[in-house]
Amino acid sequence: GENVEQHPSTLSVQEGDSAVIKCTYSDSASNYFPWYKQELGKGPQLIIDIRSNVGEKKDQRIAVTLNKTAKHFSLHITETQPEDSAVYFCAASIIKDFGNEKLTFGTGTRLTIIP
Amino acid sequence: NAGVTQTPKFQVLKTGQSMTLQCAQDMNHEYMSWYRQDPGMGLRLIHYSVGAGITDQGEVPNGYNVSRSTTEDFPLRLLSAAPSQTSVYFCASTARRLADNEQFFGPGTRLTVL
């Protein structure tokens, strides 16, 4: 089955600087790669996702890049703010005929923004 | 829309007790899943369902049962709780659509087995 590795497990960044979190996956059939943000005491919430037919996607201060050949994808957060402090999870999935049945998650990165 | 709801929020069980974690969604999503979250291990899939009457095992199904009698509800049953099942449990749902693949998560149930 799919295996997703995520690094680093913890990351501290000065407010205003950029943060980068990296993930690798094992199954070349995976074609959907979401990133989730989890705040304390809450469930994960989707912040950005990318499909395998796209190399990069950006949404304001957040961007995701995908390298299918190397089987890795990364989350980039620019101009970090205190509210970006949270645990971030990458995930991978094989989108079949009718949609996304299940996700395989990375182990998470605790991001702390230092004011 | 309430989205995905889970009850209870917290539960303490003794080894060997049984209980059911409830999950409901009001978005008419066909796909529903149960994950457990343990420190340092991310979220791992327990069971999932692609529609009413259809369920399948995920990565860590042992010790858990599920059923899907309606589109809205997807309860998770622990028949004989063990300390290894101490975890935070999340239910999620997704629409059966190629163009929209976001999984929506509930707020979680924190379970402690003594």
Side-chain angles (χ1 to χ4, degrees):
Chain A
E2 174 69 282
N3 182 49
V4 177
E5 295 189 355
Q6 182 172 347
H7 301 280
S9 57
T10 60
L11 179 62
S12 293
V13 173
Q14 208 71 33
E15 182 179 353
D17 288 350
S18 296
V20 180
I21 303 170
K22 299 181 179 182
C23 289
T24 60
Y25 62 100
S26 62
D27 191 342
S28 56
S30 289
N31 56 10
Y32 175 67
F33 307 92
W35 285 88
Y36 281 82
K37 177 182 182 181
Q38 186 178 29
E39 297 177 337
L40 194 63
K42 296 184 178 180
Q45 186 169 15
L46 181 73
I47 54 171
I48 195 167
D49 56 11
I50 192 169
R51 291 181 182 244
S52 58
N53 58 350
V54 175
E56 183 174 359
K57 184 176 179 181
K58 191 173 181 180
D59 183 3
Q60 298 183 357
R61 297 186 298 109
I62 295 173
V64 57
T65 59
L66 171 66
N67 183 327
K68 282 192 298 183
T69 304
K71 288 192 280 189
H72 68 71
F73 55 113
S74 301
L75 177 71
H76 305 254
I77 306 174
T78 59
E79 301 172 11
T80 53
Q81 301 169 3
E83 52 265 37
D84 294 330
S85 293
V87 179
Y88 291 82
F89 291 96
C90 62
S93 177
I94 300 173
I95 300 294
K96 296 181 180 175
D97 294 339
F98 299 104
N100 179 23
E101 296 174 2
K102 52 184 177 176
L103 292 167
T104 300
F105 281 85
T107 51
T109 297
R110 182 174 299 278
L111 175 64
T112 302
I113 307 301
I114 305 166
Chain B
N1 284 352
V4 180
T5 58
Q6 292 183 238
T7 56
K9 290 192 175 218
F10 302 94
Q11 183 70 48
V12 179
L13 291 178
K14 294 181 179 178
T15 298
Q17 286 185 316
S18 62
M19 80 159 296
T20 299
L21 279 63
Q22 302 292 343
C23 173
Q25 52 90 12
D26 61 358
M27 298 174 281
N28 202 31
H29 284 172
E30 293 84 354
Y31 297 162
M32 296 186 74
S33 310
W34 276 103
Y35 295 85
R36 60 177 288 174
Q37 184 175 28
D38 301 295
M41 301 188 75
L43 287 87
R44 293 181 292 167
L45 183 66
I46 304 172
H47 286 284
Y48 66 103
S49 168
V50 299
I54 306 169
T55 63
D56 206 346
Q57 295 182 350
E59 181 185 353
V60 287
N62 292 342
Y64 308 95
N65 281 351
V66 292
S67 60
R68 185 96 179 271
S69 56
T70 67
T71 299
E72 295 78 19
D73 301 298
F74 191 40
L76 179 71
R77 297 183 185 86
L78 284 72
L79 298 179
S80 179
S84 60
Q85 294 178 304
T86 293
S87 187
V88 182
Y89 292 85
F90 289 99
C91 179
S93 74
T94 313
R96 187 173 179 259
R97 281 195 301 267
L98 262 182
D100 181 4
N101 304 125
E102 178 176 358
Q103 286 209 356
F104 292 85
F105 284 81
T109 294
R110 184 175 293 274
L111 176 68
T112 302
V113 183
L114 302 175

